[in-house]
Amino acid sequence: MSRLFAATFAAIALLAGQALAGPRSPHWEQSGSDVKADPAVRFGVLANGMRYAVMRNATPAGQVSVRLRIGSGSLEETDAEQGLAHVLEHMAFKGSTHVPEGDMLKILERAGLAFGADTNASTGWTQTVFQLDLPRPELIDTGLMLMRETGSELSIDPKALASERGVVLSEERLRDTPGYRALKAQIELLAHGQRITRRFPIGQVEVIKDAPASLVRKFYEANYRPDRATLVVVGDIDPAAVEAKIKAKFSDWRTVGPETAAPDLGRVEKRGLTVSLVQLPGGQAQILVGWARPYDPSPDSLAKRRREYVENLALEVLNRRFARLALAPKPPFIAAEAGFEDLLHSEKVAIVQASTAPDGWRPALATVDEEVRRLVKFGVSKAEIDREITRTRATLANALAGEATRPTNDLANSLVESADSDLVFTSPGEDLAIFDAAMKTITPAEVDRAARAVFAGSGPLVEVENPVPTAGGEAAVRAAYIEADAKPVIAPAAETLTDWPYASFGKPGVVKSRREIADLGVTEVTFDNGVTLSVKPTKYRQDQVLVTVDIGHGREDLPRDRPTPAWAAAALVDGGFGKLSFEDSQRVLAGHIYDANFSITDNAFELRGATRPADLATQMQVLAAYIADPGYRPEALERLRQTWLTALPQLAATPGGVLRRDFERLIHAGDPRWATPDQAELEAAKPSVLRALLSATLTSAPIEVTIIGDVTVDQAIAQTAATFGALPPRRADDPPPSDGDKTAFPTPAVSPVTLTDGGRPDQAMAVIAWPVTGFYHDMQEARATMLAGEVLQNRVEEKVRAAEGATYSPETAVALSEVFPDYGVAYAAVEIPPDKIPRFFTEVREIVEEMAAKGITADELARARNPRIATIEKAQLGNEYWQARLAGSIGDPRRLDIIRSTLPDYAKVTEADVQAATKRWLAPDTAWELVIKQGAS
């Protein structure tokens, strides 16, 4: 599925499964269920009603994740309080009884936590969640103290509230995109008349602007109560000791004042065919068809899970059919997907959503209706069911195999999700056992009955969302649906079985040389055909193996003087293979765990996959087949082209979209290798562009394979020899073009570069950037420059966000190229009202000038360095870090030096080093400025 489309569909899916807030008897769901909870978790309830869950998990070693869930959100708000749950979430960082305003983030930064990555919070319809990811177990006392302060000790000072209003309003502007407005329209259609349509968590602007601190405190006391709270602690800890700490810290939490009553969520309306037409300039063209029924409030149980497994089997069969249609020679839509979701405990809703071109809603709507009716009338075949059972079981078995090394933060988030969804938190073993027991008695007839039930209820609820006017309006949409629904459907064609034709690539390659890099635990191998391999066996994640295949030199191989269809590269995977389409390959390999992604990086055309040891052979065969026999199917390219054509107006609709579209090109002085394709280029693209772009590279360019994870060196060598090592010889010593490693920073101008977007007049983006050199120019200085960027981030946070409330999320970054030797960039960017842009530029320049003239304090250095070091230390305990760092390291051994020097270099950076780097690289006369604001594009 297209990532652009998947993100849109996921917006509704993410709403599912949230719990009904309001008075409840505090208990864990397993107390009234026949589903067994994960025995590795210590569940408890304090006398005051607060629930807690504690779990020991040592992946990564030394890390601890703490979550505090308050079971109240925007649904609890009265009309006069709309937005206060969200405002209150922000106020949790603005001071409490024992933590003065402005100190919480400083405390966390000194301890090594980065705001956003390790310290965050979110507000939804039914809950507010605060999260801390601690880099060391000894910080657990600090983490519990801060969560206890959040529970009942917030100051809610009027002055602090006044500055934070601007931050919340900035977030409201940032979130108010065509996609968000489309989501609101969808929920209005699906849950018409129900409370969730009137209580979006962002709230009402006038309430945010004017609500007094006393009203915020009233909401706080009514909703932040121990019997609505769930505390989760997961990590490298002693559960008994942490449980004792929780009891000592939280048992004295008492309620203050009356609590908020359980909200009336409304009822599902009885409706037949209901049509909605939504015109959203800058939005995505898509259709949605839904069927709503009352929410099922029954407790989590084995019977309920079995029923949901059966429903999901029917939907997965339908989604496979949609996927095949999306890659047909004349596809009726770009992508389509069906889901069956609990929508905020308000209703159970079946949704089919398809993304289209702006003029493509009719065939999309007709095909969705036809396929749903085909499924309901003719059901599913045993072969289709068996395929989905095999695929799902493989996923569950893989989760069981990796149970001992599940990531700590994922477990903490899953525990919160289970609490919010009124589900028993189960172990991977229990999940597999429940699934296997359910599938023993499954029949096609039962799946057919489930399919009919899924697409029953109130509806169909039909919505067409279009960025342009729809001829004929709602009447045309209604007529089109009625006409499509009246046409007969025929039974689906039977699938023919196909063998996997890429199990052999010829005689396995012979190892020409082998080198051990003992200090990094890496083995480097060269095969006789020129293919190279780096292997690092790890035990960070059981049953996980990551594979990277770098081919050629990526952007370095592309011309600097003209655009190329680099955008088309993403169609390689969906194009399948010469002997097998992408969809057929998935059917043939059902039950195997593997993946394939293709992208162009600065220094490689890169294939990536993720698998388990048992399927490493399959994973390697799939990736090698994309090199040896790519399909280059025009339908895959056409789908990608249509995706881009529909995405361009969406990007132009908001300042953030324009920034995503143009920033990389602009910051590389217009270098076309970083350009987003424009409409003319996309419309002119021929089916042959992908083959022309990649054929020579895939055929003969150097290949470097990197394998990381739960694998032995010998296994990695054997599988590489059988696949990439068996390919024809690759070109030796293949440097990029003479100027391929050159690019440039834009020339500063007297006034900012100004771009326009189609968004709100009170919404803009501002960026100020400086040229920096490449990373290898001086690695020690590079680290000092990066820490200068962290200090700048903290000062901008304190000045522009916290003190003035001018923006929601200022971002600074320092990126020093490891490929282009003379290129690097430092920048600060904000979403901000247009009238505040000049002040932002002035303040950032003043901050930088002060850093250069007066230096920084030891505390500022600690708050910049400690989170960065903690982040790196945590990353080094995961396969993904080693995959990123080792890929390409045979071709460029300096990448190994980066691994060795990173932590020692950061430890050596002094305040004077940061000051010197600021003086050298963040000079006033080199600054380049960009403004994006409303206007005709």
Side-chain angles (χ1 to χ4, degrees), residues 159-297:
K159 290 184 179 180
L161 175 60
S163 67
E164 199 64 18
R165 293 183 202 274
V167 176
V168 179
L169 291 171
S170 174
E171 185 176 356
E172 185 274 334
R173 293 192 302 271
L174 193 65
R175 304 285 185 236
D176 188 18
T177 64
Y180 174 75
R181 294 191 286 274
L183 178 62
K184 293 182 73 172
Q186 291 165 2
I187 293 179
E188 172 61 33
L189 172 69
L190 296 170
H192 181 70
Q194 297 185 67
R195 188 176 182 87
I196 60 173
T197 65
R198 306 185 301 276
R199 287 295 184 274
F200 273 68
I202 196 66
Q204 296 295 319
V205 169
E206 293 307 315
V207 173
I208 298 168
K209 283 181 177 179
D210 300 330
S214 59
L215 189 60
V216 178
R217 176 160 293 281
K218 178 183 175 184
F219 187 86
Y220 178 51
E221 293 175 350
N223 292 280
Y224 280 50
R225 309 165 64 88
D227 55 353
R228 290 176 183 248
T230 303
L231 183 72
V232 172
V233 182
V234 180
D236 201 352
I237 54 169
D238 175 358
V242 169
E243 182 179 38
K245 290 177 182 289
I246 291 171
K247 291 178 178 178
K249 179 65 69 174
F250 289 87
S251 291
D252 65 348
W253 184 1
R254 297 288 181 266
T255 58
V256 178
E259 66 177 323
T260 298
D264 181 358
L265 301 183
R267 301 291 179 268
V268 176
E269 294 180 353
K270 292 183 179 180
R271 291 178 285 172
L273 173 61
T274 304
V275 173
S276 173
L277 178 60
V278 180
Q279 183 181 342
L280 288 170
Q284 181 174 359
Q286 57 187 351
I287 63 104
L288 178 148
V289 186
W291 294 261
R293 65 173 65 177
Y295 170 70
D296 176 8

Side-chain angles (χ1 to χ4, degrees), residues 878-891:
N879 291 328
E880 290 77 7
Y881 170 88
W882 294 97
Q883 180 187 35
R885 292 265 44 114
L886 289 177
S889 61
I890 294 180

Side-chain angles (χ1 to χ4, degrees), residues 25-28 43-53 226 243 247:
S25 174
H27 66 277
W28 288 98
F43 296 95
V45 182
L46 298 180
N48 59 13
M50 190 190 87
R51 297 188 297 177
Y52 63 87
E243 182 179 38
K247 291 178 178 178

Side-chain angles (χ1 to χ4, degrees), residues 673-723:
R673 292 175 291 180
W674 282 270
T676 298
D678 61 23
Q679 184 169 337
E681 180 183 352
L682 291 164
E683 290 179 344
K686 300 292 192 295
S688 60
V689 297
L690 182 60
R691 186 186 296 270
L693 175 72
L694 297 178
S695 181
T697 296
L698 297 183
T699 299
S700 60
I703 293 176
E704 182 173 333
V705 180
T706 306
I707 300 179
I708 310 293
D710 191 1
V711 64
T712 68
V713 173
D714 289 344
Q715 288 169 341
I717 291 174
Q719 294 301 337
T720 305
T723 52

